[in-house]
Amino acid sequence: MNDQRKRVGLFVPCYINDFYPHAALATLEILEAHGYEVEYPESQRCCGQPFLNNGLIEEGREFAGHFADTFERYDYIVAPSSSCIGTAKYRYEGVLDPRRHRALAPKLYELCEFLHDVVGVENLKFDHPFPHRVGLHNSCHALRELELASPSELMIPHYSKIERVLSRVEGIEIVRPSRDECCGFGGTFSVQESAVSAMMGRDRIADHRGNGVEIMAGVDLSCLMHMEGLAKRDGTPMRFLHVAQILAGRTDFE
Amino acid sequence: MTSREKILTRLSGSMSTPETKPGLGFEPSDHPDLLESFVASLKAAGGEAILVEDPERLDERIRDTFLGTESLIDTRRDDTVDLETMKGCRLAVFEAAFGVAENGAVWIDPRERSPHALLTLAENLAIVLDRRTLVPTMHEAYARIDFDGISYALFLSGPSKTADIEQALVIGAHGAIGLKIFLL
Amino acid sequence: MIDHARNAAEFLNDPERAHWHDRALWFVREKRDKAARSVPEWEELRKSAEALKAHTLEHLGYYLQRFEERAKANGIEVLWAEDAAEFRRLVAEILQQHDATKVVKSKSMLTEECELNPHLESQRIEVTDTDLGERIVQLAGDRPSHIVLPAIHMKKEDVARVFAEHLHTDPDNPDPHYLTRAAREHLRQKFLEADAAITGVNFALAEEGAFVVCTNEGNADLGTALPDLHIACMGLEKVIPSAKELGIFTRLLARSATGQAITTYTSHFRRPKPGGRLVVVLVDNGRSRLLAEEHKKLLSCIRCGACMNTCPVYRRSGGHSYGTVVPGPIGSALAGARDPERFASLPFACTLCGSCDQVCPVRIDLHRQLYSERREVVRVPEYRGKVRGLKTAAFLLRHPRLYAAMMGLGRVLLPRIPRRLLYNRFNLWGREREMPMPAEKSFNQIYRERKR
């Protein structure tokens, strides 16, 4: 832990800011508890993902530029979201000035990735036990873009940075679903392809329910928000938590 | 301009003669016990391996295995066969040049000796293979083949099969329903 | 425009069937995983295949000419067709030269793409699809919904009904074994009567002037065994440098497609049979144009279908929902590249989950291709509303104060709006799900208060 003097910029996705602020607060608290000086630049805006994913390059370019303006002065940029980090890391290519992008990309971390790769698993200390069975939702950006865990498609040795970080929480029992499949959120996909999206989400929930799980956790609240909406509509007893909430003991919020 | 010329014009950016081509970036997997692998792979492909320890008794083993030899065509001996005979063929015997451990396939090059129709028309196939010819993977397999002189030849891995109805595996689609390999 | 979302919603009207479809294809995906795991060098093998396909496309003109030259030396005729119409005409002409009126055809996506069957039938040539799945959909007057499993959208009861009508089998016996045997007898007659055989090509070997056809049923082998005329149809991208590379591709193809170690029949054709005629038709039909674009990599596809089996959207929307001959991720990417207006919805029939890229045996960056095609397809008039919505969102997001004010209003109003009004027909999110409610305080507020 020799680089705590380095400055961490906290990026909070727009929907987390308004709908799930406790996940952002949990992220901030975890980073501070591990000795980092964290700054939340209030001038930040959306990373541009909704625009880039829908082919609106001009808007994407504008938000990417703003993201770089806001965050390039930090040593690390950490967010409780693999999809926003994935966007800045991989989808700014050809959108942001290549030199700026090359400088920015290696500084970008999803929270668990930062805890695993930069802080180091052995240095992690979480004070709040969580004696529950937790079904881990593998979001696609975490799995197949940021490579935080081994996806079932690849014939490589199994690993999961998220599981390794979560395992440091006392009492937790992590349950893997039978498929590491997409939940069907997919941004505008969730409304444009509403029927398919809903079936995908319901299938994920049923998979976890089949394991006797009543708490689902993940590193992307967008996926969880979609599944939470489905579970609520169906009256399925399932709670959805961002991994940061478990790590920081902020699990009492609705 | 002919269509050929038009297409080639559109492909003009890709006309250069390649100086090198990418090779294998790895060592193919080893199959320490080729025979064991081959037998298991063949079984997975729906076929059966029969180990023949005494070459003198090969024909006897084939006869015993298939219970009788009525309407048998043995391509090791019978030179020409007419279509009518092939249509009613219950058992055809072929020789394979070599086998592949990783997938139970055997290389059969019927040349002009036997019409390739027999390979699919015969209800059952008995294939004779020298176990010393087994190779580990398809890389070694293709390294062995000399294409000069070949008209039609194939890798055959087990009996013909389909799973086109509800993914239910059915052995015997259009070709052989039974396939046994007699390993000398 | 093909409306994938609407077609998918229709498919999902029968949830039981949709679940069955999903499970059946996921089962194939799992078989693929098991087969891939049995090869320790699997990921290296994929990389080699990717490199070789890239190399071949880089020198496609060279390899095609080389193939032509060597194939001709072996006595194979080589013809070139610019587009579907020319291809259809060429094939019909050859068949007419032989007075062929009965043709057996093994699976060839190219002939589907070029709509060969209806053309030949209009010339009074009977074409029998001999792959069991293709024969089922042909008899049913339907179209394949998957490139490897053409009848995967049909239940065995459906097949029993179709066969009862055409092959006079027992309509109440849906046993796949019974039905397959009936098809075997029926097609055996077709094979014996055929005047000519048409096959596809899985790989054409430039150095050897030969080509390879892969099947499990043996229909390409039996089909070509009896008639004197064999017409093999291939897209330009099917050529590879030499037989040596077949080691790589034959190890990948069946494992990726069905989880078998190799297809049952991997058949090599190098010369016409004595007294026979063997014609290879090379078809462009838009391929050379793709070669010049950023979508070039799509031409590496070896048509294994693995991307379909793994695609969570394909499994839950069925092949027909794409309105293309090749459905699923590769089909969407090809269609989006070729006709962005007609197929504008296909690059959006994807959550960008990336699973397809990782099962692809030649490592095509499928989800990335679909992602970049969105730039083009979002311009169609049908997406004007969507674009307007996104532009409004962008406007709000670039004006943080206004955005915060809106959210503040939402905080007050949303919990008070009557449910009926909130979940109105324009609330697309709320169609299937409950809406999240804004928290009492945003993180912005919490952070400011905390700093004080």
Side-chain angles (χ1 to χ4, degrees), chain C residues 137-428:
Chain C
V137 293
Q138 187 181 34
L139 289 175
D142 204 349
R143 303 194 117 199
S145 68
H146 188 292
I147 60 172
V148 175
L149 318 159
I152 192 67
H153 59 291
M154 292 172 82
K155 300 291 294 272
K156 57 188 181 208
E157 290 77 14
D158 304 328
V159 179
R161 263 192 302 278
V162 173
F163 277 18
E165 189 189 325
H166 295 275
L167 313 184
H168 312 294
T169 50
D170 176 1
D172 298 319
N173 189 350
D175 175 40
H177 205 270
Y178 165 74
L179 295 169
T180 303
R181 280 290 173 278
R184 178 182 166 101
E185 295 313 315
H186 157 74
L187 286 166
R188 185 58 70 102
Q189 273 317 305
K190 297 285 181 191
F191 282 122
L192 293 171
E193 294 164 6
D195 306 313
I198 296 177
T199 68
V201 169
N202 287 90
F203 306 101
L205 316 174
E207 203 45 50
E208 288 80 7
F211 62 92
V212 177
V213 182
C214 304
T215 73
N216 275 322
E217 298 181 5
N219 52 323
D221 297 73
L222 184 47
T224 56
L226 300 170
D228 285 332
L229 174 61
H230 173 185
I231 305 173
C233 314
M234 62 177 267
L236 300 182
E237 79 283 13
K238 294 287 175 197
V239 72
I240 60 173
S242 72
K244 185 170 175 269
E245 287 76 38
L246 282 173
I248 293 169
F249 294 111
T250 54
R251 295 186 81 196
L252 286 166
L253 178 62
R255 286 186 175 98
S256 299
T258 59
Q260 295 167 265
I262 189 169
T263 45
T264 303
Y265 296 81
T266 305
S267 308
H268 304 63
F269 296 84
R270 189 178 159 273
R271 258 195 329 223
K273 67 182 69 147
R277 187 174 174 200
L278 177 49
V279 186
V280 172
V281 189
L282 296 170
V283 185
D284 185 338
N285 203 33
R287 286 165 174 77
S288 58
R289 211 199 58 189
L290 277 189
L291 191 69
E293 296 174 4
E294 56 177 328
H295 306 296
K296 181 176 178 176
K297 211 169 174 186
L298 297 175
L299 292 173
S300 299
C301 175
I302 58 170
R303 300 287 190 270
C304 71
C307 61
M308 289 156 212
N309 306 335
T310 203
C311 177
V313 178
Y314 172 86
R315 274 186 272 111
R316 290 173 183 83
S317 57
H320 291 154
S321 65
Y322 293 81
T324 50
V325 170
V326 179
I330 180 68
S332 294
L334 283 167
R338 285 180 164 190
D339 191 345
E341 272 165 42
R342 176 143 192 258
F343 298 109
S345 72
L346 299 189
F348 288 114
C350 163
T351 61
L352 301 178
C353 82
S355 182
C356 46
D357 300 26
Q358 306 205 334
V359 295
C360 178
V362 291
R363 290 166 53 100
I364 302 174
D365 52 348
L366 286 160
H367 95 283
R368 194 74 205 193
Q369 297 266 351
L370 291 167
Y371 170 80
S372 62
E373 284 177 14
R374 291 177 178 193
R375 294 179 193 194
E376 183 78 26
V377 303
V378 81
R379 293 189 198 145
V380 300
E382 284 87 344
Y383 288 141
R384 253 181 230 149
K386 179 180 177 154
V387 171
R388 216 177 293 134
L390 282 160
K391 296 231 179 212
T392 310
F395 178 80
L396 285 172
L397 288 166
R398 73 168 76 90
H399 294 95
R401 284 212 191 126
L402 183 62
Y403 180 75
M406 289 273 298
M407 287 313 297
L409 203 62
R411 261 181 198 90
V412 180
L413 287 183
L414 277 176
R416 288 174 179 79
I417 295 178
R419 197 177 161 80
R420 244 175 336 117
L421 255 142
L422 185 58
Y423 290 93
N424 63 56
R425 68 195 175 91
F426 299 107
N427 183 347
L428 299 175

